[in-house]
Amino acid sequence: MLPKFWRKIRFRYGLIGSYCENCGNYYYPPRNLCPRCRRKGKVKEVQFSGYGRVLSWSVVHDAVENFWISKPYVVALIELDEGARIIAPLDCNPREIEEGMRVRAVFRKFGEDGEEGIIHYGTKFVPIG
Amino acid sequence: MVGIVSYGTYIPRYRIVVDEIARIWGEDAEVVKRGLGVEQKSVPGLDEDTATIAVECAREALRRAKIDPKKIGAVFVGSESHPYVVKPTGTVVAEALGVGNEYFCADLEFACKAGTAGIQICYAMVKAGMIDYGVAIGADTSQSRPGDALEFTASAGGACFIIGRNCIAEIEGTFSFTSDTPDFWRREGQPYPSHGGRFTGQPAYFRHIFMATKGLLEKLGLKPSDFNYVVFHQPNAKFPMRVAKMLGFGKEQVRTGLVVPYIGNTYSGSSLIGLASVLDVAKPGERILVTSYGSGAGSDSFSFVVTDKIEEFERNPTVLDKIRECEFIDYGTYVKFMRKIRR
Amino acid sequence: MRVAVIGVGCSKFGELWEMGFRDIMISAGVEALEDANLEGKEIEAIYVGNMSAGRYVGQEHIASLIADYSGLADLHIPCVRVEAGDASGGVALRQAYMAVASGMHDVVIAAGAEKVTDVPNAVEILSSCADVEWEVFNGANLPALYAMIARMHMRRYGTKEEDLAMVSVKNHKNATLNPKAMFRREIDLETALNSPYVAEPLRLFDCSPICDGASVVILASEDVARKYTDTPIYIEACTQASDYLALQSRRDITTMDSVVQASRKAYKIAGIDPKDVDVVEVHDSFTIAEIIAYEDLGFVEKGRGAELVREGVTMLDGEIPVNPSGGLKAFGHAVGATGIRQAVEIVLQLRGDAGKRQVDAEMGLSLNVGGTGGTAVVTVFSR
Ligand SMILES: [Zn+2]
């Protein structure tokens, strides 16, 4: 799984996704083909601003293995300002979350392949202000 | 004119107060607080380490600098708590910043002065014309043995300085004083550092900071009163005050850059976060002296002169803002966060 | 060619510690052959739905394994494994249906099987139905994803935690009447509402239990079917639709477009309206999924799904009984077997063989969903 993580490092660290010059839609995670335009699409890499708002969320108690130590933790469906949506961890007090709450991207540790393995980093979100 | 083009800081939001640590280990909290001049310290969250702290402070610096990340020619991360023993932190940082692949990079370690060593390297590389901009970061999530005196202060945080021309603060000069002095160390495979107790004082901290600062003043032909602010490495609040007095600086010159009472000793971030908090309020023409200290042992001393560019430079959120934004945790949470309990 | 179900079989669902993958599969298969009164050599092809034998029992190439242990190796018939997450069974059924409908084969087996209790991380493996790289890596397992669906449905349409709990209570009650169900005990609303959160707002009793199990249905062309049974159940339509794998890419997370599309197509092919359906098995992997299924299948308009459970419409004695078997929640969710298990229940109901949980029905429908709706299979059955 080492190459599998490595291959996506840029997209996870820097919140890099796709933009279709033909229809103007943004996508995260990145896509090779625009699902709206397919062969007519002109898909380019795009760096997202990292700002967005919360559409829905859950406080997860039955954790994914790498998140076990952080339980309960929050995952959220976030609409980025550019329009693409992303499901990502949201680091905040669960009681403070509101629908539409503004958030921004931060760089955080996601876990590790055991004590001897590599460390996974990526993008999480925190409330603004 | 080569100097600081931009800077950014990051302090994890969690804090533990000295009283809480003293309560667990049966120490007299008032005595400890009086002795160290420290009230509380920052604690990294479960998903934070030196790499994430380095990235966050570097992103702030880059955002403020408004320069294309591709123009960064070198990335140096100084820390005594690099997440990997073998495998650089710098590459994680450069990738997260979007620097590209053509850059000079190495991780630095010199206890608490690895960050200032990075500034010296970037300064030299810019002056030599090797790079346009260099990123120097000092960041740590410092470890301390449970119950050890270090536990009251060993904290987490980092600062990033982008070095180049067209700067907000010119580096007027730099001077280092170095010797082989084992006052504080951590052997391979050991989870916590060891130290020489009172030996860390006079022959270590005081001698090196005194000599480096004195050397810089002589080299530049300056005297303490020429400086508006002075920042020393701050393992606690007492040492920098005492060394300032030894060198002939006044308390007022030290105060602005003294952040240790509120966030503890951020190790490689310590003198650099102090410098950042001075730059947060500095005015054009003001002169700042910074002397770091790294056990083992050495000190890097710098003289900065603030330029007109600082006026239009975005300095918010300030170090003070970040000191204020915090959440207090108890000792149990602290040992969980610091992974001091193993499952 | 019209396609009929001539026999059904189902293993017990649950923690089958004494039984391995092969044992479970064969127990359901033998029951179906007996039910169809077949000797075995009549079988022309096998389609088996299985999500993850590779990870659950460390065995791939299970198509050959099943032909082998079904005693059919010497017939050298084609055997195909089909995978579509927890919609694997439904998709296998559709492959088998197409094989007969096309005239290619006269008698085929559609099976589903999963053995999950040999490994400690069964739930983690099930979560690979979601997008592992971009959902699960980010901390969102299946319960978390359905929880985000639930929260949005609650905020937008006023669905309550009590409504979700009522789905659980109903399905548990139905399962008490089903001898093969995993959980055969009634629960009350308080029990469900006081159970711990798994992923807020979903609690333990909102989540179906992943378990071991296998199910088999035997399909035959209409002409051939009459040779074996007096009570053939016809498949009027079997449709499948896909959607974006990850929730974040969907147009609206409170609707499964795959379910809407598959069901509309099925109604059209079968020439019916949703109101013509008398009995339904839906994919209640989480209670919110059942409420959304009511809406997406067209039994009630969008946002009003909770009303059906509140008013008892989907209870066993209601207007449209849903999940008379106990559903995934109480019958158990044997992943790749579930789609076939649902078909077994509808066939039993339409034949009048459903015992104490029998409802009066001429037309039945099953909905099998993969992950959070990346795949949906809708099958319409009639007497
Ligand atoms: Zn397009």
Side-chain angles (χ1 to χ4, degrees):
Chain A
M1 292 299 181
L2 180 67
K4 184 178 159 183
F5 176 76
W6 167 79
R7 206 171 291 127
K8 298 289 193 293
I9 275 181
R10 306 178 50 233
F11 309 112
R12 293 199 196 285
Y13 286 14
L15 210 60
I16 292 169
S18 303
Y19 170 72
C20 175
E21 288 184 342
N22 191 48
C23 66
N25 279 294
Y26 288 85
Y27 301 101
Y28 189 89
R31 291 177 174 271
N32 301 323
L33 272 179
C34 171
R36 289 175 178 82
C37 311
R38 287 179 287 276
R39 282 184 59 207
K40 279 190 209 131
K42 287 189 77 178
V43 174
K44 293 277 153 69
E45 221 170 67
V46 65
Q47 166 81 58
F48 287 98
S49 66
Y51 291 92
R53 65 189 182 100
V54 173
L55 299 181
S56 190
W57 72 95
S58 176
V59 182
V60 185
H61 298 261
D62 195 359
V64 168
E65 194 190 350
N66 257 333
F67 286 72
W68 187 89
I69 198 161
S70 311
K71 74 182 162 59
Y73 61 92
V74 181
V75 288
L77 176 67
I78 291 159
E79 185 165 75
L80 299 172
D81 284 357
E82 292 83 354
R85 292 172 182 185
I86 176 173
I87 284 171
L90 178 59
D91 180 16
C92 70
N93 180 344
R95 309 297 149 217
E96 288 170 6
I97 311 173
E98 281 175 28
E99 194 179 326
M101 183 174 80
R102 296 282 299 159
V103 292
R104 67 178 173 87
V106 292
F107 188 78
R108 293 290 175 86
K109 193 172 154 178
F110 271 63
E112 50 199 32
D113 284 344
E115 283 203 349
E116 294 178 2
I118 63 154
I119 302 167
H120 298 152
Y121 296 100
T123 301
K124 296 189 183 182
F125 286 79
V126 295
I128 294 175
Chain B
M1 191 161 75
V2 177
I4 297 165
V5 172
S6 181
Y7 67 97
T9 54
Y10 185 80
I11 302 162
R13 77 166 187 267
Y14 300 103
R15 304 280 186 277
I16 186 165
V17 293
V18 164
D19 303 67
E20 175 68 2
I21 300 169
R23 180 178 71 84
I24 297 299
W25 297 110
E27 301 277 351
D28 185 330
E30 294 312 315
V31 171
V32 174
K33 285 193 272 186
R34 219 179 304 130
L36 298 172
V38 173
E39 292 287 325
Q40 61 196 44
K41 68 170 189 173
S42 62
V43 180
L46 282 163
D47 57 359
E48 295 183 303
D49 64 13
T50 293
T52 67
I53 289 170
V55 168
E56 286 296 313
C57 65
R59 278 186 177 164
E60 184 175 79
L62 204 56
R63 197 162 52 235
R64 289 169 169 181
K66 299 186 183 96
I67 57 173
D68 178 1
K70 298 274 186 304
K71 287 192 172 155
I72 303 289
V75 175
F76 295 102
V77 181
S79 179
E80 59 113 78
S81 54
H82 289 290
Y84 292 91
V85 176
V86 179
K87 198 226 156 284
T89 308
T91 55
V92 174
V93 174
E95 189 65 62
L97 296 180
V99 167
N101 299 106
E102 294 169 15
Y103 60 95
F104 299 100
C105 180
D107 281 3
L108 303 174
E109 190 282 310
F110 197 143
C112 300
K113 85 158 189 78
T116 52
I119 292 178
Q120 289 176 327
I121 295 169
C122 288
Y123 174 60
M125 291 178 94
V126 172
K127 276 194 119 176
M130 287 174 74
I131 57 173
D132 289 333
Y133 298 101
V135 165
I137 298 166
D140 260 309
T141 54
S142 51
Q143 290 290 342
S144 53
R145 192 178 304 278
D148 190 284
L150 280 181
E151 199 176 26
F152 291 109
T153 52
S155 69
C160 169
F161 290 81
I162 300 179
I163 306 302
R165 294 173 197 280
N166 209 3
C167 48
I168 55 170
E170 185 191 358
I171 298 175
E172 201 178 14
T174 180
F175 188 90
S176 289
F177 183 85
T178 315
S179 79
D180 190 20
T181 305
D183 59 323
F184 173 102
W185 63 92
R186 180 164 66 85
R187 294 279 302 276
E188 179 74 52
Q190 295 299 312
Y192 303 116
S194 304
H195 55 83
R198 287 167 65 180
F199 182 68
T200 59
Q202 198 282 321
Y205 179 92
F206 293 103
R207 175 171 178 238
H208 291 83
I209 291 193
F210 185 88
M211 294 304 287
T213 308
K214 205 161 147 275
L216 182 76
L217 294 178
E218 279 169 12
K219 181 179 165 187
L220 297 177
L222 294 169
K223 52 189 186 304
S225 59
D226 293 326
F227 292 87
N228 301 80
Y229 308 97
V230 60
V231 180
F232 296 116
H233 173 55
Q234 31 200 281
N236 54 56
K238 292 295 164 71
F239 277 26
M241 281 300 186
R242 202 191 306 165
V243 81
K245 198 175 172 191
M246 284 163 65
L247 284 158
F249 290 94
K251 279 182 185 170
E252 284 313 308
Q253 287 163 289
V254 182
R255 203 153 279 156
T256 310
L258 196 67
V259 294
V260 63
Y262 322 104
I263 60 171
N265 179 5
T266 55
Y267 283 50
S268 300
S270 175
S271 52
L272 294 181
I273 293 175
L275 169 59
S277 75
V278 167
L279 287 171
D280 282 345
V281 297
K283 294 179 189 67
E286 289 186 324
R287 186 177 269 129
I288 307 162
L289 186 132
V290 177
T291 307
S292 64
Y293 172 71
S295 288
S299 280
D300 303 328
S301 194
F302 299 83
S303 173
F304 297 99
V305 180
V306 179
T307 73
D308 293 342
K309 289 217 129 261
I310 200 133
E311 304 245 271
E312 69 234 42
F313 185 80
E314 175 60 60
R315 291 186 267 187
N316 290 315
T318 62
V319 171
L320 199 59
D321 292 333
K322 291 166 194 167
I323 285 171
R324 284 187 184 128
E325 198 189 312
C326 63
E327 186 177 321
F328 292 95
I329 58 173
D330 60 15
Y331 194 82
T333 308
Y334 164 73
V335 294
K336 180 186 172 191
F337 280 13
M338 294 303 289
R339 310 285 176 109
K340 290 188 185 196
I341 26 174
R342 298 177 70 88
R343 291 180 65 232
Chain C
M1 189 83 69
R2 205 171 180 206
V3 179
V5 181
I6 61 168
V8 297
C10 185
S11 74
K12 175 108 180 56
F13 271 37
E15 297 172 346
L16 308 179
W17 300 113
E18 284 80 17
M19 298 173 88
F21 181 82
R22 302 168 202 220
D23 308 320
I24 298 169
M25 184 66 237
I26 303 318
S27 82
V30 168
E31 190 178 296
L33 287 172
E34 281 171 3
D35 186 50
N37 200 22
L38 295 183
E39 193 273 333
K41 65 177 190 302
E42 305 87 342
I43 308 296
E44 293 173 27
I46 298 176
Y47 294 87
V48 55
N50 170 264
M51 174 183 156
S52 197
R55 291 182 74 195
Y56 281 128
V57 293
Q59 176 71 57
E60 303 293 11
H61 205 180
I62 59 157
S64 167
L65 176 90
I66 287 166
D68 180 355
Y69 277 76
S70 304
L72 302 176
D74 289 338
L75 296 180
H76 305 297
I77 57 169
C79 189
V80 180
R81 174 197 173 170
V82 174
E83 192 277 310
D86 46 344
S88 298
V91 176
L93 176 64
R94 185 162 176 275
Q95 296 300 310
Y97 165 80
M98 291 194 297
V100 176
S102 67
M104 176 77 84
H105 294 301
D106 279 326
V107 181
V108 304
I109 281 180
E114 208 81 55
K115 172 69 192 174
V116 304
T117 53
D118 282 354
V119 290
N121 58 335
V123 175
E124 183 198 326
I125 294 170
L126 181 63
S127 277
S128 61
C129 289
D131 187 332
V132 173
E133 285 199 9
W134 301 104
E135 289 179 321
V136 185
F137 179 88
N138 282 2
N141 49 14
L142 276 183
L145 293 167
Y146 272 100
M148 286 190 271
I149 292 174
R151 186 178 306 275
M152 193 171 271
H153 201 275
M154 288 169 152
R155 297 177 73 84
R156 192 182 290 173
Y157 302 116
T159 302
K160 304 216 163 7
E161 284 193 36
E162 289 75 9
D163 300 323
L164 303 181
M166 283 170 81
V167 170
S168 190
V169 169
K170 167 183 77 70
N171 291 349
H172 269 266
K173 192 170 182 208
N174 293 351
T176 62
L177 306 173
N178 192 338
K180 285 178 175 169
M182 182 175 183
F183 294 135
R184 298 191 62 204
R185 61 187 177 91
E186 267 190 73
I187 56 157
D188 56 21
L189 209 56
E190 284 67 45
T191 307
L193 285 171
N194 289 327
S195 66
Y197 280 120
V198 169
E200 295 176 39
L202 299 182
R203 297 172 184 273
L204 186 62
F205 276 92
D206 290 308
C207 309
S208 63
I210 170 171
C211 69
D212 304 329
S215 297
V216 171
V217 297
I218 302 176
L219 308 185
S221 57
E222 186 174 18
D223 302 342
V224 174
R226 294 221 181 81
K227 287 203 290 187
Y228 300 105
T229 180
D230 297 331
T231 54
I233 299 300
Y234 296 101
I235 296 182
E236 302 295 347
C238 186
T239 57
Q240 182 185 338
S242 304
D243 201 350
Y244 293 95
L245 175 65
L247 214 53
Q248 61 201 7
S249 306
R250 306 265 175 85
R251 182 181 62 82
D252 175 4
I253 67 166
T254 62
T255 292
M256 290 185 192
D257 283 342
S258 58
V259 175
V260 172
Q261 293 302 322
S263 61
R264 293 307 174 274
K265 206 183 287 176
Y267 296 144
K268 199 175 164 203
I269 292 168
I272 61 165
D273 278 333
K275 65 174 171 10
D276 297 326
V277 177
D278 304 312
V279 61
V280 184
E281 284 282 311
V282 302
H283 196 94
D284 58 321
S285 50
F286 298 89
T287 48
I288 184 64
E290 177 162 332
I291 287 175
I292 286 178
Y294 297 164
E295 300 164 358
D296 292 343
L297 289 170
F299 298 141
V300 67
E301 67 188 74
K302 181 85 289 185
R304 296 178 60 185
E307 291 175 20
L308 298 195
V309 69
R310 267 179 227 156
E311 291 160 13
V313 176
T314 54
M315 305 248 293
L316 208 53
D317 57 357
E319 216 175 299
I320 326 163
V322 175
N323 286 335
S325 64
L328 282 62
K329 175 67 202 78
F331 191 91
H333 184 20
V335 198
T338 284
I340 302 291
R341 201 277 304 154
Q342 296 173 315
V344 170
E345 178 67 13
I346 297 296
V347 168
L348 292 175
Q349 290 286 351
L350 296 180
R351 285 201 323 214
D353 290 339
K356 289 184 180 164
R357 62 186 192 282
Q358 183 65 51
V359 300
D360 181 24
E362 292 193 0
M363 185 80 67
L365 178 146
S366 66
L367 166 64
N368 188 199
V369 171
T372 54
T375 298
V377 182
V378 172
T379 312
V380 176
F381 301 84
S382 77
R383 211 151 63 185

